[in-house]
């Protein structure tokens, strides 16, 4: 069961900006735990995309950015490209469950 | 660079056990936790637990306690996940991942390629 809630899908034309939301609660994001984001291409393992709310690992384009406020977080993709079509998951820590929790996942479609 | 290589597909019947291996290379194996996650068809990742290769200490999600065992062999930089009393809803791709902590929240910066475990009678 996923503790963090994301929209099932978002879409945009090439070059547009899209955002993916991630809603948590007071025992995870709202308690101050950082949010990380993963990109999963079909048939592949998830790949770390954003860590610590808004930091990009080496090699991740600066078209990807993250933010966090209160009990939620969001991922933004600017200048959408065909290769960005994938599933995206947010992840944080939940003190009530004493473990890591993931979002329900969002499929980003490039029109 | 960091690589995690997992064992191959395991087809199992309900009630059986499965053991998945994860061989790590490219970093100091005892310096970082290894986490195990699984992803059922059409679902998001689900965290199962973690092991500290330096001490052998483990922590698992409550839903798996009593059925999951995580171990390491530091001589061959390999981690193992064993899940017992398999059910059909354990059908999933099982992943190992290297863990770091940032802002109090674990993150998974390198992942294995995944091991498919179908459970069916």
């Amino acid at each position: 069961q996923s503790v963090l809630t994301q929209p099932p899908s978002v879409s945009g034309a090439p070059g547009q900006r899209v955002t993916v939301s991630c809603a948590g609660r007071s025992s995870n994001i709202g308690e101050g735990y950082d949010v990380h984001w993963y990109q999963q291409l079909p048939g592949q393992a998830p790949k770390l995309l954003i860590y610590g709310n808004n930091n990009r690992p080496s090699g991740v384009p600066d078209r990807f950015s993250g933010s966090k406020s209160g009990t939620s977080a969001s991922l933004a993709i600017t200048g959408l490209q065909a290769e960005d079509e994938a599933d995206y998951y947010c992840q944080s820590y939940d003190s009530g469950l004493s473990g890591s929790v993931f979002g329900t996942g969002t499929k980003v479609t490039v029109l | 660079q960091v690589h995690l290589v997992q064992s191959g597909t395991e087809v199992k019947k309900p009630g059986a056990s499965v053991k998945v291996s994860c061989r790590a290379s490219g970093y100091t194996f005892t310096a970082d936790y290894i986490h195990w996650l699984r992803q059922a068809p059409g679902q998001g990742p689900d965290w199962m637990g973690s092991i500290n290769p330096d001490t052998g200490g483990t922590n698992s999600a409550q839903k798996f306690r009593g059925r999951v065992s995580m171990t390491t062999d530091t001589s061959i930089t390999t981690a193992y996940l064993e899940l017992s009393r398999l059910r059909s809803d354990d059908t999933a791709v099982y992943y190992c991942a290297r863990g770091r902590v940032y802002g109090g929240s674990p993150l998974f910066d390198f992942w294995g390629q995944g091991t498919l475990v179908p459970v069916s009678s």
Side-chain angles (χ1 to χ4, degrees), chain A residues 1-2 32-36 38 40 43-48 51-53 55 89 91-93 97-105, chain B residues 35 37 39 42-48 59-63 65 95 100-114:
Chain A
Q1 75 288 4
S2 299
Y33 294 107
D34 276 9
V35 177
H36 318 299
Y38 300 84
Q40 186 173 32
Q44 296 188 22
K47 168 193 164 186
L48 182 64
Y51 69 94
N53 305 322
N55 300 286
Y89 296 95
Q91 176 251 316
S92 187
Y93 180 83
L97 296 172
S98 299
S100 293
V101 291
F102 283 83
T104 48
Chain B
H35 293 255
L37 309 98
Q39 189 169 25
Q43 304 293 315
D46 190 15
W47 179 79
M48 299 181 70
N59 178 37
S60 59
Q62 185 156 11
K63 64 192 281 188
R65 284 176 196 160
Y95 292 102
R100 293 270 169 100
V101 177
Y102 199 94
S105 175
L107 61 88
F108 314 113
D109 59 353
F110 290 94
W111 296 61
Q113 83 277 19

Side-chain angles (χ1 to χ4, degrees), chain A residues 17-105:
Chain A
R17 179 180 187 271
V18 297
T19 62
V20 179
S21 60
C22 173
R25 60 182 72 158
S26 58
S27 58
N28 44 64
I29 300 175
E31 196 167 323
Y33 294 107
D34 276 9
V35 177
H36 318 299
W37 290 88
Y38 300 84
Q39 177 192 60
Q40 186 173 32
L41 298 171
Q44 296 188 22
K47 168 193 164 186
L48 182 64
L49 191 69
I50 296 287
Y51 69 94
N53 305 322
N54 56 12
N55 300 286
R56 283 174 286 105
S58 174
V60 173
D62 59 6
R63 303 183 289 104
F64 295 93
S65 63
S67 63
K68 171 189 158 183
S69 179
T71 59
S72 64
S74 64
L75 171 73
I77 310 174
T78 56
L80 195 63
Q81 298 185 6
E83 66 209 51
D84 300 333
E85 193 160 283
D87 293 323
Y88 293 81
Y89 296 95
C90 58
Q91 176 251 316
S92 187
Y93 180 83
D94 191 283
S95 61
L97 296 172
S98 299
S100 293
V101 291
F102 283 83
T104 48

Side-chain angles (χ1 to χ4, degrees), chain B residues 62-100:
Chain B
Q62 185 156 11
K63 64 192 281 188
F64 298 108
R65 284 176 196 160
R67 287 208 300 145
V68 69
S69 173
M70 292 170 285
T71 57
T72 58
D73 184 337
T74 56
S75 69
I76 55 172
T77 63
T78 299
Y80 301 92
L81 169 78
E82 186 166 18
L83 188 64
S84 61
R85 302 192 300 279
L86 290 169
R87 308 183 294 255
S88 58
D89 62 357
D90 289 318
T91 294
V93 176
Y94 288 75
Y95 292 102
C96 62
R98 189 180 77 165
R100 293 270 169 100

